[in-house]
Amino acid sequence: MDPNLLPLITCPHHPTVTLTVEQIEHANDGTIERGYLRCPHCTRRYPITEGILDVLGTQWPTSIAQLVNELPPAAWAYERTWRPLALSLLSGEQFPLERELNLITELAGVERGGLIIDVGCSNGLYARALAHACRHHGANGFVVGIDLSRPMLREARIRARAQKLNISFIRASAQALPFADSSANVLVMGGSLNEIGDIAAALAEWRRLITPDGRGVLMSLAAAPTSGGRLLQSLLSTGGLQFPTITELNRAFADAGLYVRDQWQYGIVVFSVVQVFDEMA
């Protein structure tokens, strides 16, 4: 974890309260590998282990989909097998990772720098692309990857370090992000909206964190248009996955205080760029 990020991290239970450093047990190459942060308001103690801050503690997965992500083999295999093929299979056209990542980084506008958060980062695919884009543009700021799954975060950190990218990783809930109001210039999410559980609460956090001139960029999966696709999605929903229609998705944005600036659909794959309603004018 980048120690320069620490002044921006707040207690997930008290978002107006910045966490304080209780102890740094080990640091290496300018990153904190092991230590503890504490909330001065509620005195909760949050460990940093293997360079990953954990503000969740003993919170466990609430669905089969989330449970699968806790399995180390799933974390190891995610980018090595499924992810490179995912959008081509789901969109019905050639959609390689390079095309997806170029689209995400362009829409995110990382050249402005600031706090950039990949929510539900899995192996950190978007986080790495954003960090590379920041380096290319000479943008100052922080890239942070957040996920529920420690195995996913471990794999994400290994991949980031292999590419010499300065990305901090935090184990946290999408419904309780450990940052202050209006602190994030960019939030991104790649497919995790379909499995995070309470979508309304997660989008409310986006509304809370995005700066007035910031933006959120999401890749999510919509309800299938065919009876066979709907049957498959119905089966997957028993494991905790959700597939809202475009209308339902956009209603969720609006209910959270976000408006859709741009949106594209390729098969069931939907890319959305959202901003806070204050900027609608």
Side-chain angles (χ1 to χ4, degrees):
M1 165 158 287
D2 185 347
N4 296 307
L5 178 68
L6 296 180
L8 301 180
I9 300 175
T10 64
C11 177
H13 302 279
H14 303 95
T16 62
V17 180
T18 303
L19 297 183
T20 59
V21 177
E22 178 182 284
Q23 183 180 11
I24 296 178
E25 296 179 349
H26 179 64
N28 183 42
D29 292 333
T31 64
I32 302 172
E33 297 290 331
R34 189 169 63 251
Y36 290 92
L37 305 184
R38 183 181 290 274
C39 174
H41 181 79
C42 65
T43 72
R44 285 182 173 89
R45 198 174 186 230
Y46 300 110
I48 301 173
T49 308
E50 300 177 287
I52 300 168
L53 172 63
D54 188 340
V55 299
L56 273 181
T58 57
Q59 181 172 326
W60 294 101
T62 58
S63 69
I64 294 174
Q66 291 179 7
L67 180 61
V68 168
N69 288 337
E70 291 291 334
L71 302 176
W76 181 90
Y78 180 69
E79 272 193 41
R80 291 177 171 90
T81 57
W82 163 248
R83 198 57 180 82
L85 304 173
L87 263 61
S88 293
L89 294 173
L90 295 168
S91 68
E93 62 182 85
Q94 286 298 312
F95 216 120
L97 278 179
E98 182 180 8
R99 178 184 176 188
E100 177 185 356
L101 298 180
N102 286 342
L103 181 58
I104 291 297
T105 54
E106 181 180 347
L107 294 176
V110 297
E111 63 275 1
R112 296 172 300 139
L115 179 60
I116 300 168
I117 306 174
D118 180 3
V119 184
C121 69
S122 300
N123 285 176
L125 180 65
Y126 281 8
R128 296 196 309 275
L130 294 165
H132 277 298
C134 285
R135 179 184 291 175
H136 174 76
H137 289 286
N140 294 318
F142 303 96
V143 178
V144 180
I146 287 180
D147 204 274
L148 287 173
S149 166
R150 177 167 282 277
M152 286 288 186
L153 290 169
R154 287 197 193 101
E155 181 71 20
R157 189 164 186 262
I158 289 170
R159 288 173 174 269
R161 289 171 68 84
Q163 297 181 23
K164 302 186 184 305
L165 296 172
N166 185 19
I167 303 173
S168 296
F169 293 99
I170 302 176
R171 182 171 178 259
S173 166
Q175 291 82 12
L177 299 172
F179 294 98
D181 296 1
S182 300
S183 60
N185 278 9
V186 177
L187 292 177
V188 301
M189 180 180 285
S192 297
L193 189 72
N194 299 91
E195 60 186 58
I196 58 174
D198 191 339
I199 291 177
L203 292 180
E205 280 292 86
W206 282 48
R207 174 61 181 86
R208 183 179 71 81
L209 259 66
I210 295 174
T211 61
D213 62 345
R215 68 189 68 171
V217 181
L218 303 93
M219 183 276 287
S220 60
L221 305 180
T226 65
S227 57
R230 288 193 294 272
L231 176 59
L232 177 58
Q233 289 183 344
S234 178
L235 293 173
L236 292 172
S237 69
T238 62
L241 296 178
Q242 303 175 73
F243 301 95
T245 65
I246 293 291
T247 299
E248 292 168 338
L249 176 64
N250 290 344
R251 185 182 302 124
F253 288 142
D255 289 346
L258 301 167
Y259 79 93
V260 179
R261 172 176 159 176
D262 291 298
Q263 195 169 64
W264 302 266
Q265 184 170 3
Y266 307 89
I268 64 169
V269 178
V270 181
F271 289 91
S272 305
V273 180
V274 299
Q275 292 184 276
V276 298
F277 267 123
D278 305 33
E279 287 298 294
M280 194 167 183

